[in-house]
Amino acid sequence: MLLIPAIDLKDGQCVRLEQGEMERVTVFSDAPEQMAAHWVEQGARRLHLVDLNGAFAGKPVNKDAIAAILDTVGDDIPVQIGGGIRDLETIERYIDMGISYVIIGTAAVKNPGFLQEACLQFRGHIIVGLDAKDGKAATDGWSKITGHDVGDLAKKYEDYGVNSIIYTDIGRDGMLQGINIDATVKLAQASRIPVIASGGLTNFDDIDALCAVVDEGVEGVICGRAIYSGDLDFAAAQARADALLDAKSKA
């Protein structure tokens, strides 16, 4: 179970939003690269970046902050990024910068042909971000709820060569209400694509619940507000997940 610290970028700062609303923002750092270094020191094995301004603008906005983070972490760990990725040129630029995985969200729902082409050209580097409310996909920075069922979308993407799916319950994101385990498992069961949970991670109970369903295809979780507020100790949580899965493998 891979625990992945999130660094959400807005106006060059590291922030967290409540339910994706730009006006409900908490600033945690004016130096996102220092936050990235902190999580690496705490044992992070991957970082999750989101260009929040880019998600609403439909194009990358926080390029300077992203470059600073990549310069800071170097080749130590892989970095994935989402937010405003709508064309192949943007994907290529990010990979050239040193990004390991590019997350396609809104464009994957609205333009599956683009997703398919991205997977062909950048095989192994493409993650789909499926954000949902009551099982229906949300797009455009969560501002629009579509009629697309996320399970049906996952099945469609199965043959594209998608690396994994990040599934976010937008009703819980940033609210410390716990991971929606049932919905996450349902999505994981809908296709053979590994799923990374997101939205609502709160405490060790969530870690325990996620480790219990790893065999269903849930391979990781994005860690957001809880590790910034101190509700969850990141290093201790990753150690707990490792211990649980080690014990499970030996059982």
Side-chain angles (χ1 to χ4, degrees):
M1 180 60 57
L2 187 65
L3 275 60
I4 311 173
I7 299 178
D8 290 0
L9 301 168
K10 180 179 183 289
D11 304 331
Q13 299 174 312
C14 173
V15 307
R16 292 300 295 169
L17 306 183
E18 291 184 11
Q19 297 182 306
E21 297 183 16
M22 291 289 266
E23 65 274 12
R24 299 172 68 183
V25 61
T26 303
V27 177
F28 285 104
S29 175
D30 291 324
E33 70 278 8
Q34 293 179 13
M35 190 60 70
H38 169 73
W39 296 128
V40 173
E41 290 167 3
Q42 291 294 306
R45 298 166 193 167
R46 188 188 295 190
L47 293 178
H48 175 79
L49 310 186
V50 181
D51 183 344
L52 293 172
N53 300 103
F56 285 88
K59 60 182 180 180
V61 174
N62 287 283
K63 288 179 280 190
D64 290 344
I66 294 162
I69 289 170
L70 292 170
D71 286 344
T72 298
V73 304
D75 297 326
D76 290 346
I77 62 171
V79 176
Q80 61 193 41
I81 188 165
I85 298 165
R86 306 284 195 271
D87 55 64
L88 298 174
E89 290 76 15
T90 298
I91 298 173
E92 185 171 19
R93 283 196 296 272
Y94 273 141
I95 291 174
D96 287 345
M97 287 174 67
I99 292 289
S100 299
Y101 304 103
V102 174
I103 304 161
I104 300 177
T106 291
V109 178
K110 290 186 168 183
N111 187 2
F114 163 65
L115 173 64
Q116 191 170 22
E117 184 62 29
C119 289
L120 285 172
Q121 290 200 29
F122 307 102
R123 186 163 295 278
H125 293 283
I126 304 301
I127 293 174
V128 167
L130 283 181
D131 307 326
K133 185 173 184 179
D134 300 325
K136 301 299 182 182
T139 62
D140 299 279
W142 301 354
S143 63
K144 298 177 182 177
I145 306 298
T146 73
H148 296 291
D149 181 86
V150 290
D152 292 340
L153 290 172
K155 291 173 186 174
K156 182 189 295 186
Y157 303 152
E158 197 167 40
D159 295 327
Y160 290 8
V162 171
N163 178 277
S164 54
I165 291 173
I166 296 174
Y167 175 68
T168 304
D169 183 330
I170 66 175
R172 301 193 184 201
D173 189 73
M175 302 301 290
L176 298 176
Q177 293 180 349
I179 292 285
N180 189 334
I181 297 292
D182 291 342
T184 303
V185 169
K186 183 179 178 181
L187 179 62
Q189 292 173 336
S191 79
R192 293 169 293 178
I193 305 171
V195 171
I196 297 171
S198 177
L201 181 73
T202 304
N203 52 37
F204 281 161
D205 289 342
D206 290 319
I207 301 299
D208 295 351
L210 287 164
C211 287
V213 297
V214 70
D215 292 339
E216 300 291 346
V218 181
E219 68 172 14
V221 60
I222 306 297
C223 306
R225 182 173 291 273
I227 61 172
Y228 286 93
S229 65
D231 288 87
L232 184 68
D233 181 293
F234 176 81
Q238 183 65 76
R240 184 182 184 94
D242 292 343
L244 285 170
L245 293 181
D246 183 58
K248 186 174 184 178
S249 68
K250 294 176 179 177

